[in-house]
Structure formats: structure tokens, C-alpha cells
Amino acid sequence: MTASHSDSLVVLFGATAGAYGAKLGSDERELILLVWQVVDLPSKKVGTLHKSLVKADNLDLSDQCREVTGLTPEGLGKAEPLDRVLQQFSQLVSSDLKVLGRSSYTLCSDGQLLIRQVLHPETSKKNFLLSDCFYSFYDLRKEFHTCYPSSAAVKDQTIKTMAEYLGLGTDETEEDFGVWQVKTMVAIIFSMLSESGDHVFTEPETVKYKYETGPCSKSETVDSETVIRARGLPWQSSDQDIARFFKGLNIAKGGVALCLNAQGRRNGEALVRFVNSEQRDLALERHKHHMGSRYIEVYKATGEEFLKIAGGTSNEVAQFLSKENQVIIRMRGLPFTATQEDVLGFLGPECPVTGGKEGLLFVKYPDGRPTGDAFVLFSCEEYAQNALKKHKEILGKRYIELFRSTAAEVQQVLNRYMSTPLIPTLPTPIIPIIPPPYTIATGSIRDCVRLRGLPYTAGIDDILEFMGDATADIKPHGVHMVLNQQGRPSGDAFIQMKSADKAFMVAQKCHKKMMKDRYVEVFQCSGEEMNFVLMGGTLNRSGLSPPPCKLPCLSPPAYAAFQTAAVIPAEAALYQPQALLPTTRTPQASTAAPPTVTYYPAQAAQLYMNYTAYYPSPPVSPTTVGYIAAPPGAVAAAATATHTPILPQPGALVRMQGLPYNTGMKEILSFFQGYQYAPDDYNGLIQLSDQARSVLQAPKEWVCL
């Protein structure tokens, strides 16, 4: 029988210095052996069988490799490196084809791992190109199952099981490793080509030459079995870098979506969509493979997660991304007055933009105000590289940042800014309730315990379960989680016990007890030591180190604003300036302060229903606690009872980020001209310095903070 794709096959087999069989390539070990033989399909003739050792950069062979292959580091040390071996491969195959009177061929391997998981990733890391023949090949296991449907499933096939199914009498111990495998594969192919099998090789597997960019619509259906999440990426990595990490696997068009954090910057994660579940499963085998010096974690993800990041609905974005095979560059920090001509002039003639003005996309708020971001299309890598050389050059009075970007990032940024409200409105009012009399311990009595080494996924319920019967001895609101600089659990927590004896018993009973898959260290400590850590200090064997905000050179004048008596919801923090601003100094005699108001949900009477998550930077940041919405009547009654001013509706305080450092009051007032009227009643809600108060009391139509 003849094959429509080519008349000749090159049967290829290989091994690495590490895992063998189903785990081939999963450990990033290098190729150390290649064995191949040319097969002429019409005449059923074969060429010379070739075996070539490959010198790896790391000659430390695994025990399994030594046992299975019989190779030694000494023997491999005399071999040629991979690039030279591949050159010899091409020359010898061409020579054998001439002898057989053929000119074209297609590779045939035992499964897909050798080509997809070994050859392509390794050559990509070593920065040399594979010849075209390695981008198309036949998977002998799939071809065998197609020819013999009653045989075992493809994933369960091996060379040995296929030979046993056909009754081929071969002894693996009679030949060198690799030689037996190739000879047996050739015998299997001849059996498939016989009159009883009558098989035709027509549909080879393909490897994409390059990653294709493109838009993704939110209305598109994405199979969850094709999506993975990559974590730990370098922040400057692009979609092409991620595609290179997964070299050998076929990523769907526009299938790389870089994730952004709340500030619109990349957070080191990406969602990647592959063409089918088989490719996704191979991608999962690259868990903890390296991109440069960093290892990348690879996990399963869902189609909904991918669409949330990469999906878009804007016609303007779809039109911008409709030009295929373009390199996308993101510009950040543009002056708000910048025009298309300004951007084109900044980039210059050495990096022409695709389509001129049509290759520019300015990111704007829903009301049309610019955000300072823009995306630019370039037709080739050379132009994009020239543009990136202008990183941090000046346009107007501002320096401009330039980064590689992706179609998914364009969608994500546009979605985020277009969903931003013009002026945030207040949440439903919340019930102010006088808190029960409790305070955080500050003395030297060792009535607290410190939990160190908590799982990052651990919550209050996990801690209470961990402590068992000792939970009855915890003070009300006595569980304090410590967060890191990113606002995530740090693995530490402090618990206030009712007495020093109770704290001692807990430390003795729970020290190095397991929580989930980790053991947790439990130490007895004092309230003073606890407060030092909660406020940013360190507690270790060498003693206490004060928090940065306690150092004389860094101590802010508003440090007194961080008091244990005031606990404010995170959502309400934006609208509670008295917790964020310094105490007003006035010459008038001080009046009696209103009772402290703390916001709690209605279930606050239940112990441990809410907890405080502390992080001390900046020192005046409010602590957070949950809250519930209250009906208008309850708000009015509570406000009357406590004499606490409530911000009227509608109205909001707007927090401004990204201001130029030389911005003054006049520039801010001019920026918000005409947006909102501020009645005089707002002065009673906000603690202001004398200078700010004089500005607010002047005739104006609006105010911002």
C-alpha cells in the first residue's frame, strides 16, 4: 500500500537521561539516544538502521536510565552534541532515501512524547531550529489503533503490547536498547500494510511552527478540558515567551491570556488554551519545568476562567485585533492630552505602526477620558524591538513605559476600564453598633500564642478546629491573622487566650500538630510581642525588632489614628476619612468626643463570626471586618442614638491614584471641574487641616479628597 502523504517513513526512537516510557520528557532531562531507520512503503524495503548517542550538557544519568539503556556517562562523554547529531540525521536519511529511489519522508514515532515533549522543548531552550520534518509525524500507537480497533486504548499501548497483539516473536534482550524497538516498530508497520491490515498512512500529527495571536469573544465556547493555568511567570514575559515554554504543543489561536492584578499589572500568571484535551494533558506534564531560572507551575483551569480574562465584547477591540500575526506593544503613562500624531511621532519612522492611526488603540474610561494607556500594532519583530528601545523615553513631560502585550491583555484592560464607574457610589448604609468592651492586649503577660507555619489556605475555621477544646478559652475577637505585603496570608496568626496558663497549655498541646498537610509551630507570647508583629515588627530568637513605622525617621504624624477602638469595613474605608486623616488641631477647647463606633454584622454577638486581618503598612490603614447592609430606618435610628454623622446619599469620596508628584490643589480641583456638588455639610464629616478647611469653605461647586 502507498501513503498519500509520502512514500517513505523514518521510524524514530529516542531516550533521555531521566524518565522512560509514559513519563518521557516530564523531568526536563536531555536526549541521549536516537535510533532510526528508513522504510519504503510501496516496496516494503528498509534502509540502514542507525544508532547515535547524544552528548548531554548534564551527564548525570538516572538509575532508571542506567538500568534500561545500559549507557554510562563515560560513553556519552565521547558522543556528539544534539545539534551535530541532528545534522547527521538529516544527511544519513537523505542518503538512504536516494538508495531507495525516494525523496520525501515522514517521521513515525512510538507515541508523541519524543517529538513534542523532548525534541521541541530541548532545541528551543538551546536556541537552534529543528528541520521541517519534525513538525509533521505519525503516531504509531494511533495508527495501530485505527488499523486494529479491538486493540488496547491508545494511552495503554506500547511497542511490546502492539507486537504481542500481532503475535510477533521478538526477544527484547537479544538486541541493544533502541535497536530492538526500531526493528519491532518496522515489523508492526509491515503487518499493518499487509493485505489483512490494508492500512494507509494519511493523517499525520502536526506541530505548529509559531503561536498565532487573535481575539476571543465572550460568546465563544471554551472547553474546560483544554485550559491550564501557568503560575510563577516572569513579570516581563509575553505570549510568545509562554508559547516557547510550551513548544511542541499546539496552542489555540489567541490562546494565551496573561492575568493582571488589581493595579492592571501582570501578576505572574497566565491562562493557556490548547487545541484539544490531549495537548492540555501533555502541558500538565511540564509542571515545574523552567523558564530561564524560574520554575513554572502548571495546573488545570476552566473555560469560564479563560473567557473571564481573554473574552471581550467591544467591536472597537475586535476591529483592532482583526489584523493577524501582529506584534502588540502596550504603552503606559501617556499624557492625557496625547494624540495619535503624538504617539506616531514618539515611535518615529524606525518602527512604523501597522495601518498608521488604525494600528493605535487608546484605552479610555466610559466617559471618554484617557487612562494613559494605549496599544500599538507592529507587523514584524524588528519594528517591535525598535519600539521597545524607547522604553522610559520622554513624551511631553512624562516618561513612557513600553511592554510586550497580547490580544487577551488588550481585552482584559479594556474590560476593566470600561466597567469602572465614573464616580463610585456609596454602598448601602451599614448599622453602627457600640462594640462590646474589649481591647487588644498590650502588656507583658504571656497570655497569647503564636501559630507559625499555617497553610496559606487556612482560615479561622481551620484554626479553631486545630485548637480543639481550647477554643473555649479564646478571648472574644482574639484571633488575628497576619497578612503579607500582597494582602495574602503569611502563615502566621496570633490568638489571645483568657489567661497565661491557658496559653501555656495550648502551646504544649498543639505545638507541631498537623493542620492539613503541614505541621504548625505554637509558641506562647505576650500581648506586647503580638502587637509588635501585627504592626510590622519581627519576633525571632534574637528578640523583638520594632516595626518600620516606629522608627523615629519614619514615624508618621498620623500614627495615633491607628487605634484599636476603631474597626472599619474594607469597603467603607474609602468613605471614612476620619480613620485615614490626621487629627485636626484647633485652638478651640476640645469637646467631648462622641462614642466610638464600630461596624459589625447583626451576628456579631456570636464568638469568632468575624476576625481582624492585620497588615501594618501604612500604619494608619484601617483593619478590616465584615459588615451587612441595613435598611434606611435602622440607619436613621442608629444615627440618632449615637449622634454619628452619616454621609448623605447620593455622594462619595473619590480616591485618586497615579497623580504626578508635583500636582497641587488647583490641578486636582481643575481636574474634577463640574463633576459633583458638595454641600457644606461635608465639612462636619471630614477631619481636615486648617489649610484644607479654608479651601473647602471658599465658594465652590464640588470637592474631592
Side-chain angles (χ1 to χ4, degrees):
M1 301 298 295
T2 60
S4 60
H5 184 71
S6 64
D7 291 333
S8 300
L9 298 179
V10 175
V11 178
L12 184 67
F13 181 82
T16 69
Y20 173 71
K23 289 295 182 179
L24 183 70
S26 64
D27 53 4
E28 285 190 287
R29 298 305 302 272
E30 297 170 275
L31 192 71
I32 59 171
L33 174 68
L34 272 182
V35 185
W36 69 91
Q37 187 173 29
V38 176
V39 178
D40 182 53
L41 298 179
S43 64
K44 296 185 180 180
K45 294 181 179 180
V46 297
T48 304
L49 190 149
H50 300 277
K51 178 179 179 179
S52 180
L53 299 181
V54 183
K55 183 180 180 180
D57 294 338
N58 182 5
L59 294 177
D60 183 19
L61 307 183
S62 68
D63 294 338
Q64 183 185 27
C65 175
R66 292 172 182 266
E67 180 181 351
V68 173
T69 65
L71 299 176
T72 62
E74 292 75 17
L76 293 174
K78 302 176 183 179
E80 297 287 348
L82 181 59
D83 55 344
R84 296 286 299 276
V85 171
L86 292 178
Q87 291 177 4
Q88 295 174 6
F89 169 83
S90 298
Q91 295 170 358
L92 293 173
V93 167
S94 298
S95 176
D96 290 343
L97 287 173
K98 287 182 180 180
V99 173
L100 295 172
R102 303 295 178 184
S103 58
S104 63
Y105 66 93
T106 304
L107 297 178
C108 180
S109 65
D110 172 34
Q112 304 195 33
L113 300 182
L114 174 62
I115 293 177
R116 293 193 186 274
Q117 298 286 69
V118 178
L119 280 169
H120 278 281
E122 184 173 341
T123 55
S124 177
K125 289 180 180 179
K126 294 182 177 180
N127 293 315
F128 61 86
L129 299 176
L130 284 172
S131 60
D132 292 346
C133 68
F134 290 97
Y135 288 85
S136 178
F137 66 97
Y138 288 108
D139 182 345
L140 183 59
R141 300 183 185 188
K142 288 186 177 181
E143 297 294 331
F144 185 84
H145 188 72
T146 301
C147 185
Y148 304 103
S150 60
S151 61
V154 174
K155 63 178 182 179
D156 298 326
Q157 297 278 18
T158 64
I159 296 176
K160 187 174 183 179
T161 58
M162 289 186 288
E164 291 175 349
Y165 183 88
L166 296 174
L168 300 177
T170 57
D171 187 356
E172 187 174 355
T173 60
E174 291 181 358
E175 306 283 355
D176 291 339
F177 179 78
V179 174
W180 176 87
Q181 282 80 357
V182 169
K183 287 185 175 181
T184 305
M185 290 168 69
V186 171
I188 292 171
I189 291 172
F190 285 159
S191 296
M192 294 166 61
L193 294 175
S194 65
E195 294 183 0
S196 59
D198 197 26
H199 183 71
V200 179
F201 291 84
T202 57
E203 297 182 3
E205 300 287 321
T206 59
V207 179
K208 287 189 175 183
Y209 282 88
K210 60 181 296 185
Y211 167 67
E212 299 177 280
T213 61
C216 176
S217 172
K218 282 189 178 295
S219 60
E220 191 173 338
T221 301
V222 177
D223 184 3
S224 293
E225 296 299 315
T226 63
V227 183
I228 62 94
R229 179 183 294 273
R231 182 178 298 164
L233 299 166
W235 67 269
Q236 73 273 26
S237 59
S238 67
D239 54 349
Q240 297 296 338
D241 296 323
I242 296 171
R244 185 176 182 181
F245 175 79
F246 289 108
K247 184 69 174 176
L249 306 180
N250 294 338
I251 299 175
K253 183 177 180 180
V256 177
L258 295 167
C259 300
L260 307 181
N261 60 19
Q263 288 73 42
R265 301 176 185 271
R266 297 173 187 172
N267 63 4
E269 295 187 5
L271 294 172
V272 185
R273 176 188 178 191
F274 294 89
V275 295
N276 54 43
S277 59
E278 181 183 31
Q279 303 289 307
R280 193 282 303 267
D281 292 340
L282 292 175
L284 292 173
E285 292 297 326
R286 299 196 186 183
H287 179 60
K288 292 195 174 181
H289 282 204
H290 288 76
M291 180 184 289
S293 59
R294 299 175 65 109
Y295 71 82
I296 308 302
E297 300 174 7
V298 182
Y299 304 100
K300 292 182 179 180
T302 65
E304 290 78 8
E305 290 176 307
F306 183 83
L307 286 176
K308 183 178 179 180
I309 298 298
T313 57
S314 171
N315 292 331
E316 182 183 12
V317 176
Q319 183 178 358
F320 176 77
L321 297 175
S322 62
K323 301 178 180 63
E324 298 183 357
N325 300 322
Q326 300 292 308
V327 183
I328 305 175
I329 298 296
R330 180 181 179 181
M331 303 180 69
R332 191 167 63 199
L334 292 169
F336 295 143
T337 57
T339 63
Q340 292 177 326
E341 290 77 9
D342 294 332
V343 174
L344 292 175
F346 172 80
L347 295 172
E350 63 272 18
C351 38
V353 177
T354 302
K357 295 181 179 180
E358 295 181 359
L360 296 176
L361 178 65
F362 286 92
V363 183
K364 299 179 180 180
Y365 290 107
D367 62 347
R369 290 182 296 119
T371 64
D373 280 28
F375 293 93
V376 189
L377 294 179
F378 296 99
S379 59
C380 66
E381 186 67 29
E382 179 185 357
Y383 295 157
Q385 288 290 347
N386 291 337
L388 291 173
K389 292 177 183 178
K390 297 181 179 292
H391 180 60
K392 290 195 175 183
E393 289 190 8
I394 302 298
L395 174 59
K397 295 183 179 180
R398 306 191 65 171
Y399 71 84
I400 311 302
E401 298 175 291
L402 290 94
F403 309 96
R404 289 183 174 275
S405 188
T406 67
E409 186 174 13
V410 176
Q411 298 278 23
Q412 195 175 169
V413 172
L414 265 294
N415 291 343
R416 174 166 300 177
Y417 278 114
M418 291 304 293
S419 62
T420 303
L422 298 182
I423 300 179
T425 57
L426 280 175
T428 306
I430 48 184
I431 305 176
I433 301 176
I434 302 300
Y438 79 96
T439 58
I440 296 179
T442 57
S444 59
I445 300 176
R446 301 175 64 80
D447 57 352
C448 303
V449 291
R450 179 183 185 182
L451 276 60
R452 188 170 66 186
L454 294 169
Y456 296 128
T457 58
I460 291 297
D461 293 338
D462 298 309
I463 293 177
L464 298 181
E465 182 181 354
F466 171 80
M467 296 188 64
D469 297 338
T471 55
D473 299 319
I474 301 176
K475 286 185 178 180
H477 307 277
V479 180
H480 309 283
M481 305 289 288
V482 182
L483 306 184
N484 61 19
Q485 293 181 355
Q486 289 73 42
R488 298 176 180 174
S490 65
D492 279 22
F494 286 90
I495 300 176
Q496 293 176 259
M497 308 302 294
K498 292 182 178 179
S499 67
D501 293 339
K502 300 294 184 183
F504 176 79
M505 294 299 295
V506 170
Q508 293 294 316
K509 179 180 178 182
C510 298
H511 185 57
K512 292 195 175 181
K513 180 179 173 182
M514 299 298 294
M515 180 186 294
K516 297 184 177 179
D517 57 344
R518 302 185 64 172
Y519 74 84
V520 179
E521 298 175 291
V522 183
F523 306 101
Q524 186 180 8
C525 66
S526 67
E528 180 183 10
E529 294 170 334
M530 177 184 73
N531 275 323
F532 262 79
V533 176
L534 293 181
M535 291 304 297
T538 57
L539 175 62
N540 49 42
R541 295 178 180 177
S542 59
L544 291 172
S545 298
C549 57
K550 285 287 189 180
L551 299 177
C553 61
L554 297 177
S555 181
Y559 182 77
F562 189 85
Q563 299 172 357
T564 58
V567 182
I568 302 172
E571 293 83 351
L574 182 62
Y575 313 105
Q576 297 290 336
Q578 59 267 34
L580 299 175
L581 300 176
T583 303
T584 306
R585 297 180 180 179
T586 59
Q588 293 85 355
S590 60
T591 58
T596 303
V597 177
T598 306
Y599 294 90
Y600 290 98
Q603 305 94 325
Q606 300 179 19
L607 191 59
Y608 321 122
M609 180 59 68
N610 293 283
Y611 65 97
T612 303
Y614 292 87
Y615 182 70
S617 179
V620 295
S621 296
T623 53
T624 59
V625 74
Y627 70 96
I628 61 170
V635 174
T640 303
T642 61
H643 305 287
T644 303
I646 300 296
L647 193 63
Q649 293 276 14
L653 298 178
V654 180
R655 180 183 179 186
M656 301 180 68
Q657 291 181 322
L659 290 171
Y661 296 118
N662 58 352
T663 300
M665 181 71 71
K666 292 182 179 180
E667 286 81 6
I668 296 177
L669 298 180
S670 176
F671 178 79
F672 281 101
Q673 180 67 40
Y675 268 93
Q676 184 173 350
Y677 175 80
D680 294 338
D681 293 345
Y682 280 38
N683 291 343
L685 293 171
I686 306 170
Q687 300 179 11
L688 302 169
S689 64
D690 294 337
Q691 180 183 4
R693 185 175 300 280
S694 64
V695 173
L696 292 179
Q697 289 174 349
K700 293 184 178 60
E701 297 180 351
W702 44 265
V703 63
C704 67
L705 291 174

